[in-house]
Amino acid sequence: MAPTVERKKIDLAPLKAANVPIFFIVGGPGSGKGTQCDKIVAKYGLTHLSSGDLLRDEVKSGSPRGAQLTAIMESGALVPLEVVLDLVKEAMLIAIEKGSKGFLIDGYPREVAQGQQFESEIQEAKLVLFFDVAEETLVKRLLGRAETSGRADDNIDTIKKRLHTFVTSTAPVVDYYESKGKLVRINAEGTVDDIFGVVVANLDKVTSKI
Ligand SMILES: Nc1ncnc2c1ncn2[C@@H]1O[C@H](COP(=O)(O)OP(=O)(O)OP(=O)(O)O)[C@@H](O)[C@H]1O
Ligand SMILES: Nc1ncnc2c1ncn2[C@H]1C[C@H](O)[C@@H](COP(=O)(O)O)O1
Ligand SMILES: [Mg+2]
């Protein structure tokens, strides 16, 4: 049986009242989500929240919630929806207090239900950027990153499982937002700067008011 997850009541009123734009950033493991988000932050001043980073911080904090997460992440599976959404909500509220003018939610949603729950409880995403990269390239990039990242999931066994999770759980997210007309599919096989050029062309269409 799955362990019970402790949940706190989170008051989302300040976040909803701020009504700032929210962008979901989706792509396979190693597709360059974090790399592109760093560049988007530098140009547009949006707040970057990576669900993976929030989970890793929770593990490092030594909290009871964190203790349940290590095994899941090292197995390449997805962490339960409620755990991730609570962490994202808490981080968004802190950022809103500091005057955030919008969010890049990186690595979220990983399954359609995550997107639906986020959007029903918080707010609709303005756009979903999907970084489209072939599996062979993802593996090469992740094995390259493994040399310096220190990430417990940057090893070939976990990479294979994460790729499987992407195909089975996250690929439907791409179809879901495409059918809603919110998906921006970006071929992310090129250089970091070329990809960023395409990102900018798409964000400039919707961020004139930021
Ligand atoms: N366009 C690119 N060409 C070559 N290497 C890249 C490119 N974009 C990112 N990388 C490299 O690939 C690796 C993975 O990139 P990054 O960490 O941004 O991916 P990610 O999508 O955030 O991965 P994860 O889902 O595992 O967090 C890093 O070592 C990064 O430097
Ligand atoms: N949105 C998420 N839902 C469930 N599990 C998640 C989510 N974001 C990250 N995770 C878990 C599972 C991933 O393999 C690891 C690492 O995430 P990453 O975005 O690759 O840093 O964390
Ligand atoms: Mg990342």
Side-chain angles (χ1 to χ4, degrees), residues 55-108:
L55 289 164
R56 283 183 285 278
D57 287 347
E58 189 68 18
V59 170
K60 274 190 224 140
S61 77
S63 72
R65 186 164 61 175
Q68 298 174 6
L69 304 176
T70 309
I72 301 174
M73 290 164 78
E74 288 186 11
S75 77
L78 294 182
V79 168
L81 185 157
E82 296 76 13
V83 177
V84 184
L85 189 52
D86 282 358
L87 287 172
V88 170
K89 284 175 182 171
E90 286 165 8
M92 290 179 87
L93 282 163
I94 291 169
I96 281 296
E97 259 177 44
K98 294 180 182 162
S100 173
K101 57 183 185 169
F103 291 97
L104 303 168
I105 312 290
D106 160 5
Y108 191 103

Side-chain angles (χ1 to χ4, degrees), residues 14-28:
L15 181 53
K16 290 183 181 187
N19 194 30
V20 295
I22 296 171
F23 299 91
F24 289 153
I25 312 296
V26 175

Side-chain angles (χ1 to χ4, degrees), residues 118-130:
F118 182 108
E119 293 189 314
S120 78
E121 292 186 22
I122 305 175
Q123 188 184 304
E124 286 208 8
K126 206 169 182 69
L127 279 184
V128 179
L129 301 188
F130 166 48

